Amino acid sequence: MSAQKPITTDARAPGGAESPPGEAPPGATGSGSGAGEGLQAGLKNRHLSMIAIGGVIGAGLFVGSGAGIAAAGPGILLSYALVGALVVLVMRMLGEMAAADPVSGSFSSYADRALGRWAGFTIGWLYWFFWVVVLAVEATAGAAILTGWVPAVPQWAWALIVMVVLTATNLFSVGSYGEFEFWFAGIKVVAIAVFIVVGGLAMFGLLPGGSDGAVGAANLTGHGGFLPNGPGAVLTGVLMVVFSFMGSEIVTLAAAESANPRKAVARATNSVIWRIAVFYLGSILIVVTLLPWDSPAVKKSPYVAVLDHIGIAHAGQLMDVIVLTAVLSCLNSGLYTASRMAFSLGGRGDAPKSFSRTTGRGVPATAILASVVFGFVAVFFNYAYPDTVFQFLLNSSGAVALFVWLVICFSQLRMRRVLERESPERLTVKMWAYPYLTWVTIGMIVFVVGYMFTDPTGREQMVLSLLAAAVVLGVALVREVRRKRTEKDLARR
């Protein structure tokens, strides 16, 4: 694929029937219409590499991990390990399908083809909904930090500025998105790497100028033990950290706009294990080893607490810069991801056709603007009705990650059979121990879904998320009935 070759949208046999990956069945939708010729392969290898690495590092790791530590103590390491293993397995399945057939809609397109149009429609729109709500969350978080630095500018104005700047970046070209994300993700990666190195030196008493010596395992086994709140707290921790891993799958959507998508997907899939092990488990291990888990400072801001403990000057301000970078990265990727999912849905006839139109630079401008408009509306709700309307939006999108992972599992079960039968040469990335590990993963996800009903906060999220899913699924089924009725009427004529 050349650097400027247009990328077509997803091929699908009518009605979601199985079709050989990479081959468009009769009547499949093309690459969009309008001024452009479809998406352009404008992402470079370094862009994709950093998107893959930075995709697992969100602002929630820096800020939200404190609540998980407070709930499970040092046992939060087991929570992160369990969820990390789940993500590795899901990404392996997604990587298998994406390497065989890289398309703009990723798992939504595969669900469409493997399970039926209803599945692709439902999970595609739920995923879009999740990310446009995230836009509001991250814009508000970034605006709060910027207002602290420049109080003269009101918080709503900062949110507006951030959204407008990143929208303009995404509208310009996919390359500009990639460049911004390269530097945003680069700062996050460097920050975590430095944190782990400096924290590791402090753990072993090797930090220059340090006087405390090696800390040993006192903080891991003291203060109530490794599981101070009991084994059940590990599962509570799972519920608190599971959604911080959302974003790992972005690289499979972005790879479709690169010069060598199959190679990019294979590389990202193979590296997900060390990325999770280093960035999540490594940094959390530093926190719970250096400091008592029940320290108020750890609950408030674990990474700032560690930096203060080590003696890093202005740790709070430094962490604000890193968190702001993570927020901007999430905003940038969220807008990109939502727009590409909308583009894919438009190309498959599951969204307005205008969503699949691109500019001369290969940018789906209508899909971007539609996504950001909803994001602006959500930002307004966050300021005007934070405890009612916006809380409802937040909770109703809260369990989408689990739904996405389940759909990926079931899609892979069927797509693998199709690939083995019709295009075995495309299986350059394979799911381990298929189909057994796939079913194990499904069982793990179902268990987490069930356990959410036992937790008050989790129960509310799950109920509202299921309600949102039921509404979207209902629309999908009505559309399917109407489509089949139309096909029958045309056949009679």
Side-chain angles (χ1 to χ4, degrees), residues 214-280:
V215 295
N219 289 323
L220 291 175
T221 57
H223 306 273
F226 186 74
L227 296 173
N229 297 324
V234 173
L235 294 176
T236 302
V238 165
L239 300 186
M240 302 182 78
V241 306
V242 67
F243 306 112
S244 65
F245 283 85
M246 193 71 159
S248 303
E249 70 291 332
I250 292 176
V251 69
T252 63
L253 283 90
E257 293 180 75
S258 68
N260 194 338
R262 288 185 173 86
K263 183 178 180 181
V265 167
R267 186 187 300 118
T269 302
N270 291 332
S271 66
V272 70
I273 297 176
W274 71 259
R275 287 186 276 132
I276 289 174
V278 171
F279 296 126
Y280 275 92

Side-chain angles (χ1 to χ4, degrees), residues 106-264:
S106 188
F107 53 84
S108 174
S109 300
Y110 308 137
D112 190 305
R113 208 174 310 170
L115 306 177
R117 294 191 66 168
W118 63 270
F121 179 97
T122 303
I123 205 63
W125 277 113
L126 285 174
Y127 192 69
W128 178 87
F129 175 54
F130 171 86
W131 280 110
V132 292
V133 172
V134 166
L135 291 181
V137 175
E138 302 297 341
T140 305
I145 294 173
L146 290 167
T147 301
W149 295 348
V150 187
V153 179
Q155 189 168 323
W156 66 265
W158 277 123
L160 179 65
I161 291 169
V162 167
M163 292 277 279
V164 168
V165 169
L166 292 181
T167 300
T169 299
N170 277 265
L171 284 172
F172 184 73
S173 71
V174 68
S176 61
Y177 154 74
E179 200 62 36
F180 267 69
E181 191 57 24
F182 175 80
W183 291 105
F184 287 154
I187 293 173
K188 293 190 296 184
V189 170
V190 170
I192 285 287
V194 171
F195 178 86
I196 291 174
V197 170
V198 174
L201 291 173
M203 281 172 54
F204 292 101
L206 301 176
L207 195 64
S211 57
D212 293 339
V215 295
N219 289 323
L220 291 175
T221 57
H223 306 273
F226 186 74
L227 296 173
N229 297 324
V234 173
L235 294 176
T236 302
V238 165
L239 300 186
M240 302 182 78
V241 306
V242 67
F243 306 112
S244 65
F245 283 85
M246 193 71 159
S248 303
E249 70 291 332
I250 292 176
V251 69
T252 63
L253 283 90
E257 293 180 75
S258 68
N260 194 338
R262 288 185 173 86
K263 183 178 180 181

